[in-house]
Amino acid sequence: MPETLHTQVLAVVPPEDVDDHDLQPALRDLASSRYVLVCRKGGAPSWPERIKSFLLRDPIEAVTLVADDAPEEGAEFTARVEETEMVGVYDVVRVE
């Protein structure tokens, strides 16, 4: 079932560089000719949110998205995604 995620792009792996990274075989298969995006779930935190996370030792929740197109690193976007069998890995259905 698709869900909506708001994220900030931390890193982008283009399709031609997928083989250069140590990815799980299932992720490598899913990413064939697609972009792998490492994102911060929830988007970029505000300064108060960063301080609160630091004090509470609440780490950033990172997710991996596999998409046909890739925004620039640092960009925020919202997408409809489907969860894959891999924990924390989502297949982008549509960018909103």
Side-chain angles (χ1 to χ4, degrees):
M1 182 169 142
E3 63 181 282
T4 301
L5 286 180
H6 180 71
T7 63
Q8 178 187 28
V9 179
L10 302 175
V12 177
V13 178
E16 60 272 10
D17 294 346
V18 167
D19 291 333
D20 297 339
H21 295 273
D22 187 24
L23 303 176
Q24 297 175 3
L27 179 55
R28 183 175 288 123
D29 291 343
L30 181 64
S32 65
S33 74
R34 298 175 76 198
Y35 291 88
V36 176
L37 311 172
V38 178
C39 300
R40 178 190 321 249
K41 192 172 184 179
S46 65
W47 278 106
E49 290 173 326
R50 289 178 190 199
I51 293 169
K52 179 181 174 186
S53 292
F54 176 75
L55 294 174
L56 296 177
R57 305 218 189 286
D58 185 19
I60 295 169
E61 186 175 352
V63 292
T64 302
L65 305 180
V66 178
D68 294 330
D69 299 312
E72 296 178 10
E73 289 182 10
E76 290 188 56
F77 72 100
T78 302
R80 294 285 291 167
V81 298
E82 289 183 350
E83 194 170 8
T84 65
E85 295 177 358
M86 296 168 280
V87 175
V89 177
Y90 297 88
D91 189 6
V92 175
V93 176
R94 181 180 75 233
V95 175
E96 298 178 349

